[in-house]
Amino acid sequence: MKALILAGGRGKRLGKTSEGINKCMLNIFGKPLLEYSIESAAMLGEIDEIIIVVGYRAEDIVNYYGNTFKNKRIKYVIQWEQGGLVDAIDWARDAIGKDDFMLMLGDEFMLKPRHKEMINKFKEESLFGVCGIVEVGNAEFIRKTYTLLTSPEGKIRRLVEKPQKPFNNLMGTGNCIFRNEIFSYISKTPINPNRQEKELPDLIQCAIEDNNIINSFVICDRYININSPVELEEIESYFSHI
């Protein structure tokens, strides 16, 4: 299995904070934000290679991390044109080859991540995929990502991107595990009319509608995806109190 970390974003919504820097390289209490995801991937024995999709100021990431991190190989894929998350996954198709992969984001922070347990679930239940989720009390967080309907056993029935009225407290994250066959559904994924790009929930929904089993999994105790000054303040506040 490979780890696929997406780190190509410009971070325009962060304003002056991300001027002249890839937002994934913002210093968060002593190290780049991206490194929290790289560290999580490097700790997993099942991961034999870390693939990082880069774009904006790619050279900063490549020069900083080089070709290895804690004895794990790193390979870089350049996303020459910014086309969203699903497009970034597609750019990594050749680098991933025939392997299954764990998807991660380079601009996120997790408190007590449970990637090892998620991989075990994926393997032991022979699933097509697993979506990492968190339970939140504030629906505003869900409106920024996606939510999902599941069976009592956690089997995903339906995903909704950026819902105006979330129907539960489950918030989807960018942390998922997929069988390699997920690539066959990229061409079938519709373009979101609001953002004019293909969205991760729609890709997953295409696979589900083809009778593939994808389950949800509570991936961590707390999740912050940094897209604006609000999330940046939230993560800085967290570190200032520990």
Side-chain angles (χ1 to χ4, degrees):
M1 182 179 291
K2 289 182 170 63
L4 174 60
I5 305 177
L6 307 184
R10 163 68 177 83
K12 292 181 179 179
R13 283 176 286 179
L14 285 167
K16 293 184 178 180
T17 302
S18 63
E19 281 186 358
I21 186 174
N22 182 305
K23 70 173 178 176
C24 300
M25 293 299 287
L26 288 172
N27 189 294
I28 304 296
F29 281 79
K31 57 188 174 185
L33 176 60
L34 172 60
E35 196 159 315
Y36 291 96
S37 294
I38 295 177
E39 283 184 333
S40 292
M43 291 173 59
L44 299 168
E46 294 84 355
I47 300 297
D48 58 15
E49 186 175 55
I50 299 171
I51 298 169
I52 304 177
V53 176
V54 294
Y56 179 71
R57 297 192 66 88
E59 66 279 6
D60 294 345
I61 296 175
V62 175
N63 292 337
Y64 191 91
Y65 289 106
N67 297 318
T68 59
F69 183 88
K70 295 185 177 180
N71 297 319
K72 297 286 185 177
R73 296 191 306 272
I74 296 179
K75 181 183 292 184
Y76 299 94
V77 172
I78 299 178
Q79 185 182 14
W80 292 103
E81 298 177 4
Q82 298 299 303
L85 193 151
V86 174
D87 183 64
I89 295 173
D90 201 18
W91 277 95
R93 186 190 297 248
D94 290 343
I96 289 174
K98 297 181 179 180
D99 291 333
D100 300 329
F101 64 97
M102 180 173 68
L103 177 67
M104 308 174 79
L105 305 181
D107 59 356
E108 65 189 0
F109 171 78
M110 293 185 171
L111 176 62
K112 297 181 180 179
R114 303 172 60 220
H115 293 105
K116 173 67 175 178
E117 293 85 347
M118 187 163 74
I119 290 175
N120 289 343
K121 181 180 182 69
F122 172 76
K123 290 186 173 183
E124 292 169 4
E125 299 182 22
S126 298
L127 299 171
F128 185 88
V130 183
C131 287
I133 65 169
V134 289
E135 298 179 0
V136 299
N138 188 344
E140 288 299 321
F141 295 128
I142 300 176
R143 293 191 183 101
K144 297 176 182 179
T145 58
Y146 66 93
T147 190
L148 55 166
L149 284 172
T150 68
S151 69
E153 298 78 27
K155 182 179 179 181
I156 299 175
R157 304 295 190 188
R158 181 69 184 170
L159 302 96
V160 180
E161 173 76 16
K162 296 179 175 60
Q164 290 300 306
K165 296 181 179 180
F167 34 75
N168 56 37
N169 68 334
L170 302 181
M171 183 179 80
T173 75
N175 275 240
C176 304
I177 301 175
F178 295 117
R179 293 202 178 277
N180 189 269
E181 290 80 4
I182 193 68
F183 285 110
S184 67
Y185 293 97
I186 291 180
S187 63
K188 303 174 185 178
T189 304
I191 295 176
N192 185 285
N194 296 319
R195 291 165 59 89
Q196 292 301 307
E197 58 189 37
K198 296 182 178 184
E199 301 280 14
L200 179 63
D202 294 326
L203 170 64
I204 297 169
Q205 190 67 46
C206 284
I208 290 173
E209 291 175 359
D210 210 18
N211 294 320
N212 293 296
I213 299 177
I214 300 179
N215 281 15
S216 61
F217 181 82
V218 178
I219 185 63
C220 61
D221 290 355
R222 187 176 182 183
Y223 177 87
I224 305 173
N225 185 206
I226 298 178
N227 286 306
S228 71
V230 173
E231 287 91 18
L232 188 58
E233 290 174 5
E234 185 179 354
I235 194 171
E236 289 176 344
S237 175
Y238 166 75
F239 275 105
S240 67
H241 289 88
I242 60 174

